[in-house]
Amino acid sequence: MSEAILSRNFNIPDAHKLSVAEPRGAYETARKVIGALKPEEVTNTVLASNLRGLGGAGFPTGKKWQFIPKDSKKPVYLVINADEGEPGTCKDRYILEKDPHQLIEGILISAYAIGSHKAYIYIRGEYVLPYRNLQSAVDEAYAKGYLGKSVFGSGYAMDLVVHRGAGAYICGEETSLLNSLEGKRGYPRLKPPFPAIVGLFGCPTIINNVETIACVPHILKNGAAWFTALGSPGNGGTHLFSVSGHVEKPGVYELPMGVPLRDLIYKYAGGVKGGRALKAVIPGGMSAKILKADEIDVKMDYDGLKAAGTMLGSAGVMVMDETVCMVKMLYYATKFFSHESCGQCSPCREGTGWAHKLVTRIYRGEGSVKDLDTLLTIARNMEGRTICVFADAAAWPIQSYITKFRAEFEDYIVSGRGKAVAAELEAAGAHAH
Amino acid sequence: MANITIDGKPYSVPDGSLLIDAIDQAKTKLPRYCYHPGLSVAGNCRICQVEVEKMPRTVIACNTRVTEGMVVHTASAKAKESQQIVLEFLLANHPLDCPVCDQAGECKLQDYYMEYGLYDPKFDDQKVKKAKKAVAVGPTIMLDQERCILCSRCVRFTDEITKTHEFGIFNRGDVSELDVYPGMELKNNYSGNVADICPVGALTDRDFRFKMRVWYLGSQESVCPGCSRGCNININYERSRPYKSDKGRVMRLKPRENAAVNRWWMCDEGRYAYKAIDQDRMTTIRTTAGATTWEAAVREVARLLKAAPAAKWGVIASAQHTNEELYLVRKVFKDLLKWPHLGYHEAGEDGPQDEILLRKDKNPNTAGASVILDLGAANGAASVLERARKGELEGLVVFGRDLSKMGAPGLLQEVRSKVRTIVYIGSAQHATAAAADVALPEACYAEKDGTFTNFEGRVQRIRMAVPPAGDARPGWKILSEIAAEIGEPLVFSKAEEVFKRLAAEQPAFAGMDYKVIGSQGAVWSRR
Ligand SMILES: Cc1cc2nc3c(=O)[nH]c(=O)nc-3n(C[C@H](O)[C@H](O)[C@H](O)COP(=O)(O)O)c2cc1C
Ligand code: SF4
Ligand code: SF4
């Protein structure tokens, strides 16, 4: 494996404690940056590093920071998205649990860059151990004066609040997260206005993913050019890839942006389990379009996967071998999306539920081939007509599984083998929801 | 201003305005459920999709701001397709129970389906069942969750307008449900508005439910007489029914948009007060000489008034009267008969006031009365009644009001015992009407034309929705005939003519006529 940057402390026992992390360099960079560099210099370095948001959308981080109005009379907030809800993704969890000081250091530098004195970490409610480790790290940082009225004695004030989510996937969408943080229902907001102008409590706000912010100290320490060189053109740095499914060694791998998907599976994750044949790979979390076995010669970065008609998303790589039933896969995908739609937009609310009913019908051996076309129509109609991109994300599995594995879907329907599944489901007491 | 093109026609609209408002101003039809100009933009129904040139996809007009040179298509193939797609989603779980739904005929789902629907529905699965079918959520409103399309208008109304926060949307996805919060009920003085703004039959008015299919209703523009705000309303009535006590001709009142007065709303106090139109009305003429026709009654009253010693008679005028009627009251009693004891305002009748619409002055025309009657401060209703109570008056003319509801208890009996002759002209049958020697039935506000001046000096029209009950006649007509009989040729055949005369004589009304007033009112040129 290449150089461990973000993951360098993952295997060090008790690295979440300041007593272990600090001798290993934690806060060194922040101490040098705060008060010494101008905030714009920090932003410019991040901009030059080609760091792109690692939460899924890949938006250039430095550019996002520049959207904060210069002359704002209102406070500026930094919000860290630690909701990590995308199925197949568990990378942020490692940072939160194993090396939270890395994140806090990133927050100090990033907040300084955007002129914020208050940051929030919105952490997925199910992440209990990560939360505990994170909160104790925050407490330690406060106790040492690394957070609070005067960070490192520099006079720069910084407050950090850890807020636990309550289990809705949609609260990972940044504006839904803001509503949730404000104590409201987790409904994504209409855009414009964008959060950099009207964000948390109506104030300018930057929302970044945990991993994105964890990269920042390393960029400031080693320079933009170093970071850029680590990755592929236009995609700076390394990335934590969560590899799951039918591989010999599932886990989180830190590798340079642009690593070939084939290498990720065969070189790093030990290849397909039991030497079975590969059937398909979802490269970027449940929302990403699926790749067939013969489509895996792609570079794992934003541009490479976009060119392959899918996306890097959360870099949650789900590997499926020849035993996987695509109808069943789609059943679980539509089940997930219909359960998690926030329900605001009619195309998404009704479309996800409707699609899941149709897929369930097929899965239970009660569907028809015509249902496949209806599903494709529903998916197409859901796309591009909603408040957030959840509806698009819900459409993509439907479209890609059915179009890429059409013969298998038709065979499943015609063969009637779903009847056995129905009996099984009945026995298990499974319902549409 | 920004120059934009909507469906091929050029328009100039204020910079930064919402595209949907520009489309509305251009009188172009565009479907919408969640958008309401009086509420924040939610953008959740997604149906107001339009095509904007140079944009890759259709966009919702309610969250798009106009920009210079924008070219918009509301009915292009692309726009229409997008609208249809959204409508199909909205109907997926809708129960389609129009035949038994009280909203039928004024349902936006039904309307848009006729216009934008795909007549080939693909949804053939089980619809989501929801718990609350026709459940009361408060004293005025019934909720049917399965019909709700989750547009959140009602939620925003109770959050933003009344700030009472009764409604919420619970659960997620296609099992999302609109409901009141646990332990709460929808109970505020503006609750009726949620039935108006609910675009489908999910929230219906318990008072109106199943009274009548809406397509059998007539509608007339008017103004609520409930307080000095003068909320603009439509009176919905059943034209063919004659007045019969306690059988409704007027079925309901609906607020009518007026940005300067009530925006889109009205209060429940005003909304449900329509019942008085068809209750306890005085419908027949009663005089001492036993007149039964208007000719005889007018002659008798005119003779009585003419013979009365001016200083010994008093008038209780009414701020519930129209400007036209108040003008004639002034003409007859002040200018012609020169009676010194005139009053109109009844202090003590004032009720609650709020920050939304409701005013504590429960008269629709106090402003008109004050300018037209132009009485000295000492000459209020209280001082006239005080004179009557002290036995200083021989006769009293009372318009509309029930003396038993004014002043100290027992006032009516006291006055009655001291005053020889009481003439009552009004629409309600009450203790004063019963105690009067002469009682002339007057049309109520829903039965006549005229104008009220609200507390801000806005002159607004009321119009006849239903004919006067029984023998009743509009006050202006009764007064003009009495004046003619007394000898002053104040003869008018329409309220409009009275108003013309009033406008010519009263500087506050200068330049106004019924056309100028129109449906949105006109403000006094000078106060
Ligand atoms: C439905 C949905 C769920 C999302 N969930 C997450 C999440 O769990 N974690 C995350 O970091 N970003 C998530 N995002 C992306 C965020 O909206 C946002 O783009 C991101 O937090 C920005 O940070 P970045 O620029 O550092 O990537 C989600 C987006 C959508 C549409
Ligand atoms: S697209 Fe779906 S998840 Fe996103 S706001 Fe609309 S209903 Fe909610
Ligand atoms: S009850 Fe009516 S107004 Fe309220 S959300 Fe449902 S459809 Fe909209």
Side-chain angles (χ1 to χ4, degrees):
Chain A
M1 215 181 298
S2 65
E3 193 188 347
I5 298 155
L6 296 164
S7 59
R8 50 190 273 282
N9 287 341
F10 285 3
N11 294 318
I12 308 292
D14 286 340
H16 63 279
K17 294 185 176 155
L18 197 57
S19 58
V20 177
E22 203 160 19
R24 293 183 55 79
Y27 299 107
E28 244 172 41
T29 311
R31 209 185 280 274
K32 281 186 200 143
V33 168
I34 291 173
L37 292 187
K38 287 201 195 103
E40 305 83 73
E41 291 175 303
V42 180
T43 302
N44 288 337
T45 305
V46 171
L47 189 64
S49 74
N50 283 346
L51 173 64
R52 291 170 70 167
L54 299 169
F59 194 84
T61 305
K63 200 164 152 193
K64 188 192 271 190
W65 292 2
Q66 288 177 331
F67 292 144
I68 292 289
K70 291 278 164 295
D71 48 358
S72 175
K73 298 264 181 305
K74 292 179 173 173
V76 174
Y77 293 111
L78 174 65
V79 174
I80 308 304
N81 191 340
D83 196 46
E84 193 158 69
E86 186 68 30
T89 316
C90 54
K91 63 186 183 70
D92 297 339
R93 171 181 190 129
Y94 278 76
I95 298 173
L96 297 162
E97 184 179 319
K98 309 275 187 200
D99 198 2
H101 289 291
Q102 178 178 210
L103 175 63
I104 299 170
E105 185 173 10
I107 290 170
L108 285 170
I109 300 171
S110 308
Y112 178 72
I114 60 170
S116 166
H117 295 280
K118 182 146 192 174
Y120 291 86
I121 301 173
Y122 186 97
I123 184 170
R124 176 179 175 143
E126 294 90 331
Y127 278 2
V128 178
L129 185 58
Y131 163 71
R132 288 197 190 132
N133 288 357
L134 174 64
Q135 186 62 58
S136 66
V138 170
D139 296 343
E140 280 186 299
Y142 264 110
K144 281 274 196 168
Y146 301 171
L147 283 169
K149 295 226 164 358
S150 174
V151 172
F152 311 121
S154 66
Y156 196 83
M158 187 64 211
D159 272 312
L160 177 58
V161 176
V162 182
H163 181 96
R164 299 180 71 186
Y169 169 70
I170 197 59
C171 288
E173 194 280 340
E174 57 187 26
T175 57
S176 181
L177 186 155
L178 295 181
N179 276 341
S180 173
L181 203 49
E182 288 180 8
K184 299 179 183 147
R185 201 188 147 101
Y187 269 161
R189 296 179 182 171
L190 279 174
K191 281 139 276 191
F194 290 94
I197 314 296
V198 183
L200 189 63
F201 304 116
C203 300
T205 302
I206 290 295
I207 301 132
N208 273 125
N209 170 259
V210 167
E211 191 187 351
T212 312
I213 294 300
C215 289
V216 171
H218 304 288
I219 293 168
L220 270 293
K221 182 178 177 197
N222 300 309
W226 163 82
F227 192 79
T228 311
L230 283 177
S232 55
N235 299 257
T238 55
H239 199 357
L240 297 172
F241 295 95
S242 318
V243 184
S244 64
H246 297 134
V247 287
E248 290 291 351
K249 294 190 291 174
V252 172
Y253 293 87
E254 181 174 12
L255 288 164
M257 279 286 196
V259 61
L261 177 54
R262 183 177 294 280
D263 288 358
L264 187 55
I265 297 170
Y266 289 98
K267 198 166 142 196
Y268 298 103
V272 178
K273 208 168 176 153
R276 287 195 291 269
L278 181 69
K279 180 168 185 175
V281 185
I282 299 171
M286 188 69 114
S287 306
K289 288 191 178 176
I290 203 163
L291 293 171
K292 293 197 293 182
D294 59 4
E295 293 175 322
I296 64 164
D297 290 305
V298 289
K299 284 184 150 199
M300 292 294 286
D301 61 23
Y302 289 106
D303 303 321
L305 287 169
K306 193 168 175 215
T310 178
M311 64 177 185
L312 180 59
S314 64
V317 179
M318 289 182 270
V319 179
M320 287 164 258
D321 72 16
E322 58 193 338
T323 65
V324 169
C325 169
M326 291 317 295
V327 178
K328 187 171 182 177
M329 267 308 289
L330 188 57
Y331 170 79
Y332 282 108
T334 56
K335 181 175 179 177
F336 174 77
F337 287 110
S338 66
H339 186 249
E340 297 296 341
S341 162
C342 86
Q344 268 190 104
C345 315
S346 15
C348 176
R349 177 183 67 240
E350 305 298 336
T352 53
W354 185 359
H356 184 54
K357 280 178 187 160
L358 282 176
V359 173
T360 304
R361 183 152 99 183
I362 294 171
Y363 185 45
R364 295 169 59 95
E366 293 152 12
S368 66
V369 172
K370 197 182 99 223
D371 290 342
L372 295 176
D373 296 316
T374 306
L375 276 166
L376 291 175
T377 309
I378 295 171
R380 182 177 63 88
N381 290 350
M382 276 162 62
E383 261 186 287
R385 290 191 180 82
T386 52
I387 293 175
C388 83
V389 294
F390 177 100
D392 304 69
W396 293 331
I398 300 172
Q399 290 170 338
S400 65
Y401 301 3
I402 294 179
T403 41
K404 291 190 181 182
F405 296 93
R406 176 98 190 189
E408 182 182 337
F409 275 88
E410 290 189 4
D411 180 58
Y412 186 99
I413 291 166
V414 174
S415 73
R417 50 179 193 274
K419 293 274 189 272
V421 170
E424 236 172 78
L425 284 177
E426 230 87 287
H431 297 290
H433 277 281
Chain B
M1 298 298 272
N3 296 300
I4 64 168
T5 307
I6 300 171
D7 296 342
K9 288 200 209 94
Y11 296 93
S12 183
V13 297
D15 280 322
S17 38
L18 281 180
L19 182 52
I20 197 164
D21 290 338
I23 287 169
D24 287 349
Q25 269 147 37
K27 302 250 179 301
T28 302
K29 270 198 269 176
L30 185 68
R32 83 281 316 267
Y33 294 108
C34 67
Y35 180 71
H36 191 289
L39 305 172
S40 64
V41 173
N44 59 32
C45 82
R46 315 302 297 176
I47 205 169
C48 64
Q49 302 271 350
V50 295
E51 182 182 351
V52 175
E53 286 186 10
K54 300 202 185 82
M55 288 204 190
R57 298 193 180 116
T58 55
V59 295
I60 52 169
C62 72
N63 198 44
T64 303
R65 303 256 165 208
V66 298
T67 52
E68 181 60 33
M70 193 177 247
V71 180
V72 185
H73 303 280
T74 68
S76 62
K78 213 168 140 189
K80 276 239 135 98
E81 188 202 16
S82 230
Q83 294 158 11
Q84 273 176 358
I85 283 170
V86 173
L87 186 58
E88 188 180 27
F89 281 124
L90 278 165
L91 287 167
N93 276 306
H94 190 77
L96 301 176
D97 58 349
C98 311
V100 297
C101 175
D102 201 48
Q103 188 82 0
E106 51 187 4
C107 171
K108 292 289 174 209
L109 214 48
Q110 220 179 23
D111 294 355
Y112 297 149
Y113 190 68
M114 303 310 277
E115 251 179 87
Y116 307 91
L118 295 164
Y119 289 91
D120 168 28
K122 286 187 283 297
F123 189 92
D124 60 351
D125 222 308
Q126 278 280 310
K127 295 189 188 256
V128 175
K129 284 268 172 293
K130 290 183 184 170
K132 293 199 175 167
K133 274 221 73 87
V135 172
V137 287
T140 60
I141 299 292
M142 208 72 125
L143 166 65
D144 183 323
Q145 290 177 326
E146 285 178 3
R147 291 183 191 147
C148 168
I149 55 162
L150 300 159
C151 71
S152 79
R153 276 185 178 185
C154 57
V155 179
R156 283 173 284 146
F157 180 83
T158 49
D159 283 350
E160 297 164 14
I161 306 297
T162 61
K163 302 189 170 71
T164 44
H165 312 285
E166 293 96 338
F167 281 127
I169 291 173
F170 302 86
N171 298 331
R172 272 196 317 247
D174 67 359
V175 290
S176 296
E177 282 174 353
L178 181 281
D179 206 344
V180 285
Y181 279 93
M184 273 189 120
E185 58 173 347
L186 179 72
K187 201 171 172 186
N188 64 60
N189 193 30
Y190 293 84
S191 67
N193 293 286
V194 302
D196 301 335
I197 59 176
C198 178
V200 295
L203 296 174
T204 46
D205 190 324
R206 293 177 68 182
D207 179 65
F208 179 71
R209 265 169 74 86
F210 302 121
K211 259 200 208 158
M212 179 164 285
R213 283 302 202 181
V214 296
W215 50 86
Y216 296 121
L217 289 178
S219 185
Q220 180 64 284
E221 290 187 357
S222 190
V223 168
C224 173
C227 82
S228 62
R229 171 80 54 186
C231 290
N232 290 205
I233 57 171
N234 282 315
I235 300 177
N236 285 180
Y237 58 92
E238 145 69 299
R239 202 190 285 266
S240 61
R241 268 187 206 164
Y243 171 79
K244 200 159 159 267
S245 191
D246 301 334
K247 273 265 173 347
R249 294 171 298 163
V250 171
M251 294 282 151
R252 64 176 181 185
L253 305 182
K254 285 280 201 179
R256 178 165 59 85
E257 181 182 340
N258 189 327
V261 181
N262 54 308
R263 305 176 74 217
W264 299 265
W265 327 122
M266 73 184 296
C267 76
D268 288 359
E269 197 176 301
R271 182 186 299 263
Y272 301 113
Y274 74 88
K275 290 180 177 145
I277 297 169
D278 289 304
Q279 250 168 27
D280 302 325
R281 293 286 304 278
M282 189 169 74
T283 54
T284 50
I285 297 164
R286 187 162 51 76
T287 68
T288 6
T292 51
T293 65
W294 275 104
E295 289 72 18
V298 163
R299 221 175 301 128
E300 187 184 330
V301 171
R303 208 176 306 130
L304 187 66
L305 301 180
K306 214 169 161 179
K312 290 261 167 199
W313 275 62
V315 181
I316 303 295
S318 170
Q320 309 253 338
H321 256 161
T322 61
N323 292 313
E324 292 77 352
E325 287 156 347
L326 287 162
Y327 169 78
L328 289 167
V329 167
R330 180 203 164 112
K331 279 284 156 198
V332 171
F333 297 100
K334 197 175 172 196
D335 299 351
L336 194 60
L337 297 172
K338 303 210 167 11
W339 288 6
H341 308 306
L342 232 72
Y344 66 88
H345 194 267
E346 299 97 18
E349 275 206 330
D350 290 352
Q353 174 156 323
D354 65 29
E355 302 290 296
I356 308 172
L357 297 172
L358 194 64
R359 306 283 309 169
K360 62 173 185 270
D361 177 359
K362 301 301 166 197
N363 298 291
N365 203 17
T366 303
S370 99
V371 160
I372 295 166
L373 296 179
D374 190 22
L375 306 172
N379 229 337
S383 85
V384 176
L385 289 171
E386 186 56 20
R387 274 176 211 281
R389 215 175 53 82
K390 286 197 200 135
E392 293 171 17
L393 300 180
E394 284 172 15
L396 199 57
V397 178
V398 180
F399 286 100
R401 284 322 176 72
D402 183 3
L403 304 186
S404 72
K405 302 260 166 62
M406 294 166 69
L411 179 76
L412 174 63
Q413 285 74 8
E414 236 181 304
V415 168
R416 180 64 278 189
S417 69
K418 301 278 174 57
V419 175
R420 183 146 35 88
T421 312
I422 295 179
V423 176
Y424 168 77
I425 303 177
S427 55
Q429 178 63 51
H430 47 49
T432 305
D437 305 282
V438 175
L440 302 182
E442 212 188 319
C444 73
Y445 82 101
E447 300 166 337
K448 66 187 177 188
D449 293 335
T451 58
F452 290 140
T453 309
N454 86 347
F455 76 106
E456 291 172 311
R458 177 171 295 265
V459 182
Q460 309 192 95
R461 288 183 62 185
I462 59 167
R463 296 158 205 246
M464 185 176 92
V466 290
D471 293 335
R473 281 184 172 185
W476 62 265
K477 196 168 166 112
I478 300 171
L479 286 158
S480 97
E481 284 173 5
I482 289 173
E485 198 58 39
I486 291 174
E488 179 79 1
L490 284 167
V491 183
F492 304 98
S493 64
K494 290 194 289 191
E496 189 172 1
E497 292 168 7
V498 186
F499 188 83
K500 234 183 239 162
R501 179 74 76 86
L502 160 70
E505 288 181 24
Q506 289 279 350
F509 296 84
M512 284 185 197
D513 59 29
Y514 277 13
K515 261 219 191 70
V516 170
I517 296 169
S519 66
Q520 300 279 294
V523 181
W524 276 347
S525 45
R526 180 173 74 79
R527 291 196 64 176

